[in-house]
Amino acid sequence: MICRLFQILPVLAMSLLGACAGNPQPPVTEYALSPRIELQEVREPVFPVTLRLAPLSASQMYMSTGIFYVDGSYRRNPYAYSRWVDTPVHMLQLVLQEGLERSGLFKAVLPSTSLLTADLRLETTLYDFSQHLQPDGGSQAVIRLDCHLLDARKARLLASRQFEVRIPAASRNAEGGVAALNAAVADLLPQMVDWLEEVLVKFTV
C-alpha cells in the first residue's frame, strides 16, 4: 500500500504542474498618474514668497502600488492584475509640485527634500484615493485630502481646508478607475490654486 502511494504522488504532482502551465496568469497592467492640468501660466510670480511642500501623509495602502476600489461593504481591495507604476503618495506629490510651480503664485515651489529655507509650508494628508463601486452598477473616483498652509518663519497656521473630488468612472474596472482618478486630480489642482491665492491675498495685503 505504501509503495503504491509513493507511485501515485509523483503522478499527482505532475498533473498539478501541467494544470498550472496550461492556465498562465494574465499579465499585470501598469498605470500612471498623468493628469491633464489646465492652469494659466504666468511669467512673473503673483506673490514674492517661496513655498515648501511637506512630504505627503497617507495610510499605508497608498504607499503601495495597488489600485484600490471600495465595494458596498466599505472594504478596500486592490485590483489583482493592475497596479500603479509608482505609489499614489509619490506620484501625487510630484503632480502637486508641478501644478503649483505652473500656477505662478510663488517665487519658487521647493520639494520636501530641499535644503533651502521657504516662507511658507504646505502640509497635505491624503485620506482617499480610490474607485468607489456603487450599488446601481456605476462607480466613481474619489480623492479626499486635507491641506494646511503655514507661515514657516513664524511657525503659524494660516489656513486649512479639506478638498473632496468625485468623478464618475466610465467602467467598473481598474482602467475606468485610473482614468477617473486622473480626471479628479486635474479637477483638484485648480481648486487648490484658487484657495492658496485667496489665503495669500488675505495675509499679504
Side-chain angles (χ1 to χ4, degrees), residues 36-199:
R36 296 180 179 177
I37 303 172
E38 296 183 3
L39 293 173
Q40 183 177 0
E41 299 186 32
V42 295
R43 293 178 179 270
E44 297 293 332
V46 177
F47 301 98
V49 293
T50 55
L51 173 72
R52 179 194 300 278
L53 295 182
L56 197 150
S57 301
S59 65
Q60 194 63 39
M61 73 174 70
Y62 300 128
M63 297 181 186
S64 71
T65 56
I67 301 174
F68 283 86
Y69 64 90
V70 182
D71 62 18
S73 303
Y74 302 102
R75 293 175 296 188
R76 296 179 184 270
N77 301 292
Y79 282 104
Y81 302 110
S82 300
R83 67 187 179 200
W84 295 108
V85 295
D86 199 351
T87 67
V89 165
H90 188 225
M91 291 189 296
L92 188 56
Q93 181 94 18
L94 295 177
V95 170
L96 291 178
Q97 173 86 30
E98 179 188 4
L100 294 177
E101 285 177 348
R102 289 177 51 190
S103 73
L105 287 181
F106 306 96
K107 184 166 59 176
V109 179
L110 306 177
S112 60
T113 55
S114 175
L115 300 177
L116 298 177
T117 301
D119 301 302
L120 304 171
R121 176 182 174 91
L122 182 64
E123 297 182 352
T124 305
T125 302
L126 180 66
Y127 292 107
D128 199 351
F129 193 85
S130 61
Q131 181 180 13
H132 288 228
L133 307 183
Q134 299 168 315
D136 61 2
S139 67
Q140 59 183 353
V142 178
I143 298 178
R144 183 167 61 89
L145 51 81
D146 279 354
C147 290
H148 306 285
L149 183 65
L150 297 91
D151 183 330
R153 299 186 182 277
K154 298 180 181 180
R156 178 169 64 114
L157 177 65
L158 299 180
S160 297
R161 179 172 168 181
Q162 182 174 104
F163 294 88
E164 182 172 318
V165 179
R166 294 174 177 266
I167 299 293
S171 56
R172 283 170 61 100
N173 54 19
E175 183 177 3
V178 166
L181 283 167
N182 270 279
V185 173
D187 189 72
L188 171 69
L189 257 295
Q191 295 184 41
M192 291 182 65
V193 169
D194 289 345
W195 169 68
L196 288 169
E197 185 172 11
E198 291 174 4
V199 174

